[in-house]
Amino acid sequence: MIKLFDKISDKEKNKLINYLEGLYYTFKKNDNISKILKDHIIGIIIKGNAKIIHTDYNGDKLIIEELYEDDIFGSNLSYLYNKEYDMIANEETTVLVFDYDLVINTNLNQEYFNTFLKNIMIILNDKIRRRNDRLQIISKKTIRDKLLEYFDIESQAHGSSIIYLTFSFSELADFLAIDRSAMHRELKNLKEEGIIDIKGKKIILLYRHSFAI
């Protein structure tokens, strides 16, 4: 996966951050990163990871998106323009934020700035792909089909029949928009039927033999 500052030297990176008035923030686990976000802000996760959570009128929470190192986020990029959505740190997380208006309206005529813009576009395209993947998953009608679709997408993305969950099973249920108890029952059924094996957060897809374990 491409990173925001790929093909940009450290010296050029520092110039770019200064020019775009970049600011670093560090958050502890479970801190709400949304509090620093204003209109026209674009940010990148430098270290750690976070999640976008939607809280409905009943107080029920749903994980909308997982964000990892080098992921881009913003008020208009990550649903965060809506007060029902929050960006929460999963662990100690450092982010770098820029003023989006400075990014798109700058007259900085440097090759490294053009590289920076190209990297942003590539990362945004990847973000759109991942959102489309999730829509594909949650469009499935049964819990089994949602789980298997999720496993297939992760397996193909990593070229392996082993999947390592980056979040808890409860959060997986939230991400897939399914009942937690029902999901655990279906995982048990899939294991008993020899379709998958589960060892902690490691899931082995026994039905996929085309990828090496």
Side-chain angles (χ1 to χ4, degrees):
M1 177 181 171
I2 194 167
K3 297 182 179 181
L4 186 58
F5 296 106
D6 273 358
K7 299 180 181 179
I8 298 174
S9 70
D10 288 341
K11 183 178 180 180
E12 292 168 339
K13 173 183 172 181
N14 291 333
K15 285 183 179 180
L16 193 55
I17 291 172
N18 288 332
Y19 185 84
L20 298 175
E21 301 177 7
L23 296 172
Y24 288 94
Y25 296 90
T26 298
F27 297 88
K28 296 179 181 178
K29 182 177 180 179
N30 295 325
D31 277 353
N32 192 337
I33 299 174
S34 311
K35 63 187 180 183
I36 67 167
L37 297 181
K38 302 176 182 178
D39 290 341
H40 308 298
I41 287 293
I42 184 170
I44 177 173
I45 294 183
I46 300 299
K47 184 183 73 171
N49 64 85
K51 56 194 172 190
I52 306 295
I53 295 178
H54 173 251
T55 304
D56 66 16
Y57 60 91
N58 288 321
D60 294 326
K61 297 183 183 297
L62 176 66
I63 297 176
I64 300 298
E65 186 177 3
E66 290 281 339
L67 300 170
Y68 301 96
E69 190 172 314
D70 297 308
D71 257 333
I72 289 177
F73 62 89
S75 297
N76 294 321
L77 295 176
S78 307
Y79 311 98
L80 297 169
Y81 55 85
N82 190 318
K83 292 182 179 179
E84 294 180 350
Y85 293 82
D86 291 300
M87 181 175 174
I88 306 297
N90 288 328
E91 60 184 9
E92 184 173 292
T93 299
T94 300
V95 302
L96 171 63
V97 298
F98 305 100
D99 185 321
Y100 184 68
D101 287 338
L102 281 176
V103 175
I104 63 174
N105 294 319
T106 184
N107 57 2
L108 184 62
N109 187 22
Q110 297 289 341
E111 183 60 31
Y112 63 81
F113 181 69
N114 293 331
T115 300
F116 175 75
L117 293 179
K118 289 178 183 177
N119 291 345
I120 287 179
M121 293 306 299
I122 293 172
I123 293 171
L124 288 177
N125 283 335
D126 184 67
K127 179 183 283 289
I128 292 171
R129 178 191 59 77
R130 283 186 282 141
R131 285 185 179 175
N132 288 339
D133 285 345
R134 184 168 185 270
L135 288 174
Q136 183 177 333
I137 293 167
I138 63 177
S139 68
K140 299 298 181 182
K141 293 184 178 180
T142 68
I143 293 175
R144 172 172 292 220
D145 287 343
K146 288 182 179 183
L147 285 166
L148 292 177
E149 187 69 22
Y150 173 76
F151 295 156
D152 269 343
I153 288 173
E154 289 297 304
S155 175
Q156 293 177 39
H158 297 94
S160 173
S161 57
I162 295 179
I163 295 171
Y164 294 91
L165 293 182
T166 57
F167 39 63
S168 68
F169 281 98
S170 294
E171 289 173 323
L172 174 61
D174 291 343
F175 181 72
L176 300 180
I178 55 183
D179 179 77
R180 296 178 184 180
S181 297
M183 185 196 75
H184 281 290
R185 286 195 298 270
E186 193 58 62
L187 286 171
K188 181 181 178 181
N189 291 337
L190 289 169
K191 183 176 180 179
E192 289 177 348
E193 293 170 26
I195 296 174
I196 65 173
D197 193 16
I198 303 174
K199 297 179 179 179
K201 289 188 177 182
K202 181 170 75 172
I203 299 174
I204 303 170
L205 309 184
L206 302 176
Y207 64 94
R208 293 194 69 89
H209 301 293
S210 57
F211 293 138
I213 296 178

